[in-house]
Amino acid sequence: MSSEQNLLKPYNLNGLSLLNRVVMAPMTRSRADNPENKPTEGLHDVYYTQRASAGLIITEGSQVSKQAVGYVNTPGIYSKEQVEAWKLVNKKVHNNNGKIFIQLWHVGRMSHPDFHNGELPLSSSAINPEAQSYTPEGFKDTVTPKEMTIEDIERTIQDFKKAAKNSMEADFDGIEIHSSNGYLFHQFFNGTSNKRKDQYGGSIENRARILFETIDAIKEVMPEQKIGLRLNPSLHGIFGMTLDKETIPTFDYIIKKLNDYDLAYLHLSEPFNDVSNIPHAVTEIAKRYRPIYHGTLMINAGFDKESGNKVIRDGQADLVAFGKPYISNPDLVERFAENIPLSDWDTATFYTQGKEGYIDYEAKARKQEA
Ligand SMILES: Cc1cc2nc3c(=O)[nH]c(=O)nc-3n(C[C@H](O)[C@H](O)[C@H](O)COP(=O)(O)O)c2cc1C
């Protein structure tokens, strides 16, 4: 019986009532192809509203400043125009009983000089990830970034604070700090990308410092109960990230320290690839971190209906975030409830422009009662 599925049970997200535990994971879709990099009316609002039966939507990564950008046609949340455009998205999602957080993003060294009038992107240290950036002219090799000065760090923290304030003005239900997947915060956490000698490098505490200073700054402009945060402790071989003997103690430290806060949730990803033979990798993230983190734990990567229900039943997570299944199944919750097979996604339209592969996936299930 569908009512017995753990995924379909309601959840109290630190004061915010979610109709179910199915979360739409943050996904960049490159449809903000306008000069202001704002959500596109007729696209973003339709896309997210189609998916409003999710217990919670987390938007695509949205840059907190011009400096923070690293991919073409991604939306921002730093200008008045962007705030107004997001407001329209949120109004429609809320009218359809949806709940929506925005993912706040700074890509750090994954950006490219083409986005910054030839200036270098910023990172914890001047170390090239030896990866590829998706620039306006297509994929290009990444460059060696500029090591951030203390002023750069302080300005970036203020950019996150301002973006969080803007998010509240745009009527989001909360924010998710993107401290995952090899982007700026992750570059600070990892000893292979952070060789700093000041208070932001060296010890584990120092490498994690920028994250906690950012949370503390954001708390000044919104309730911490509405702040979520994403981590991917076992990311390896993607965006220049590699694991070392400090990796597990670093994430253990960060996750333990998050217990000092009363956050909306901690969003963790299981490994994106097979790390069973990689030294210093945690292969079962939820299993390791569920006993360590005392707040709401959201888990992601590779889940389906069965494994999603199971991870909640086993007590290893409270919420499950689905990425790719949400691209091609706008009515994912109803399909789970009615046991309707899922439609396949088309990778060719993940990052293209326009409606195709974005808002033209069919809802096959009957509408669930709100
Ligand atoms: C097209 C696409 C775009 C993505 N963009 C983001 C993003 O902006 N921010 C983020 O944290 N993760 C991003 N991800 C990662 C997803 O949130 C998720 O972790 C990943 O797809 C694994 O979950 P899944 O197996 O349910 O798809 C993206 C994934 C895909 C497929």
Side-chain angles (χ1 to χ4, degrees):
M1 283 239 311
S2 62
S3 60
E4 289 172 351
Q5 288 190 46
N6 288 304
L7 283 169
L8 302 180
K9 292 182 181 160
Y11 190 76
N12 180 347
L13 188 71
N14 225 344
L16 184 71
S17 298
L18 309 185
L19 292 175
N20 56 66
R21 290 140 184 262
V22 178
V23 176
M24 179 178 171
M27 280 180 294
T28 293
R29 302 301 312 277
S30 308
R31 261 67 176 190
D33 51 330
N34 54 74
E36 294 95 8
N37 287 134
K38 58 183 186 181
T40 306
E41 192 170 348
L43 286 181
H44 282 78
D45 49 330
V46 176
Y47 173 70
Y48 286 117
T49 304
Q50 287 173 340
R51 288 154 181 78
S53 62
L56 179 68
I57 292 169
I58 306 167
T59 72
E60 61 212 277
S62 303
Q63 57 267 15
V64 297
S65 65
K66 278 194 173 154
Q67 180 71 57
V69 75
Y71 294 82
V72 278
N73 302 326
T74 55
I77 180 73
Y78 53 85
S79 75
K80 187 114 201 74
E81 294 79 16
Q82 291 161 352
V83 169
E84 290 309 312
W86 279 119
K87 222 183 237 180
L88 176 79
V89 173
N90 294 337
K91 191 173 169 207
K92 292 196 179 171
V93 169
H94 289 145
N95 283 345
N96 284 272
N97 291 318
K99 300 287 190 303
I100 180 165
F101 275 39
I102 182 170
Q103 191 185 48
L104 302 185
W105 194 22
H106 191 309
V107 306
R109 66 181 186 172
M110 286 308 299
S111 192
H112 191 275
D114 285 4
F115 288 104
H116 310 291
N117 301 318
E119 301 280 316
L120 292 176
L122 303 180
S123 186
S124 42
S125 292
I127 298 171
N128 189 333
E130 307 288 353
Q132 296 245 298
S133 284
Y134 187 31
T135 78
E137 293 169 15
F139 283 103
K140 288 193 178 178
D141 289 344
T142 50
V143 301
T144 302
K146 171 180 154 319
E147 174 167 319
M148 290 170 90
T149 61
I150 296 291
E151 291 72 35
D152 290 329
I153 291 173
E154 285 170 354
R155 193 186 57 250
T156 300
I157 292 171
Q158 290 309 310
D159 287 341
F160 271 88
K161 181 177 175 179
K162 181 79 197 309
K165 191 162 182 284
N166 287 344
S167 304
M168 293 297 97
E169 272 169 37
D171 299 326
F172 279 103
D173 295 298
I175 61 142
E176 175 175 290
I177 301 172
H178 194 355
S179 38
S180 186
N181 298 357
Y183 296 114
L184 184 70
F185 292 104
H186 205 161
Q187 292 158 26
F188 271 86
F189 299 157
N190 197 322
T192 59
S193 46
N194 181 351
K195 305 282 184 199
R196 300 179 72 93
K197 301 273 182 280
D198 62 6
Q199 67 268 38
Y200 292 98
S203 67
I204 288 175
E205 196 183 4
N206 281 356
R207 282 185 273 113
R209 186 180 306 282
I210 184 172
L211 175 68
F212 289 101
E213 288 186 354
T214 301
I215 303 173
D216 290 339
I218 291 176
K219 269 175 58 181
E220 290 172 19
V221 291
M222 63 181 285
E224 63 185 300
Q225 291 80 6
K226 297 180 180 201
I227 304 173
L229 186 138
R230 189 173 215 202
L231 298 171
N232 190 342
S234 291
L235 189 73
H236 177 81
I238 298 173
F239 299 161
M241 299 313 275
T242 48
L243 311 177
D244 62 23
K245 66 179 189 330
E246 296 262 295
T247 304
I248 297 174
T250 301
F251 283 95
D252 286 359
Y253 166 81
I254 293 171
I255 292 171
K256 268 186 208 145
K257 194 169 160 66
L258 288 173
N259 286 322
D260 297 345
Y261 295 82
D262 184 23
L263 299 181
Y265 61 80
L266 169 62
H267 184 177
L268 294 176
S269 292
E270 294 291 348
F272 278 0
N273 42 17
D274 180 10
V275 292
S276 49
N277 292 319
I278 306 292
H280 314 299
V282 174
T283 49
E284 292 179 294
I285 294 288
K287 205 170 180 181
R288 181 183 183 85
Y289 288 111
R290 174 67 290 183
I292 295 178
Y293 185 63
H294 303 150
T296 293
L297 199 151
M298 181 189 296
I299 194 72
N300 164 250
F303 283 88
D304 59 15
K305 187 178 72 171
E306 281 68 35
S307 56
N309 279 311
K310 183 172 184 312
V311 75
I312 299 175
R313 188 172 68 242
D314 292 349
Q316 288 180 3
D318 304 297
L319 304 169
V320 182
F322 296 87
K324 294 179 289 295
Y326 250 117
I327 290 183
S328 47
N329 298 277
D331 54 345
L332 189 64
V333 169
E334 292 83 354
R335 291 198 197 201
F336 285 169
E338 296 175 31
N339 282 315
I340 295 173
L342 301 191
S343 301
D344 292 335
W345 52 83
D346 178 7
T347 54
T349 50
F350 275 6
Y351 306 108
T352 47
Q353 276 78 64
K355 294 180 179 174
E356 199 198 339
Y358 191 56
I359 55 172
D360 57 357
Y361 285 106
E362 219 184 312
K364 290 202 170 144
R366 86 185 128 77
K367 198 109 183 92
Q368 209 183 31
E369 279 179 47

